[in-house]
Amino acid sequence: MTVISLEERLAKELAGRLLGCTDDIAGEDEGDDETLAELGHMRGVADMAYVALSDLALHCHGRREDVAWGIASGAAEDAHALAAIVGDWIEDMEDED
């Protein structure tokens, strides 16, 4: 059994809620194909959010909207970090198989 940190468990549950997943992703069997598919979907959504927020930040920067640029840029960084974390979870699950 793999032990995950509280932060990882909360991040999984928050990401699941943000993406409309009703299942407790953190509590599922990590070898489950359905869980792997859900994580793949989460990573895809986080990647798309990163691209959209990066575009928004670039637009705000071009219009010299510093506050909006800072918010969009920070959100893009968070989306990128979430995509990387989910990617790591997927790799860990694939390695276990």
Side-chain angles (χ1 to χ4, degrees):
M1 178 179 179
T2 303
V3 177
I4 62 172
S5 69
L6 176 60
E7 291 85 4
E8 288 176 324
R9 192 179 81 213
L10 291 173
K12 283 183 182 182
E13 290 176 10
L14 176 60
R17 278 190 236 137
L18 291 173
L19 298 173
C21 299
T22 56
D23 295 334
D24 178 13
I25 294 171
E28 292 183 13
D29 180 16
E30 291 187 349
D32 189 19
D33 289 339
E34 185 177 318
T35 302
L36 191 58
E38 287 175 357
L39 288 173
H41 174 73
M42 288 171 56
R43 181 176 58 184
V45 170
D47 286 339
M48 289 186 288
Y50 170 69
V51 169
L53 290 165
S54 294
D55 286 347
L56 178 61
L58 184 61
H59 177 74
C60 292
H61 181 69
R63 294 183 54 99
R64 301 191 188 279
E65 296 287 340
D66 294 337
V67 173
W69 173 82
I71 293 168
S73 179
E77 289 176 11
D78 290 345
H80 181 61
L82 180 58
I85 289 169
V86 173
D88 290 344
W89 292 336
I90 291 170
E91 286 179 16
D92 291 345
M93 286 180 66
E94 290 172 343
D95 289 345
E96 288 177 4
D97 290 342

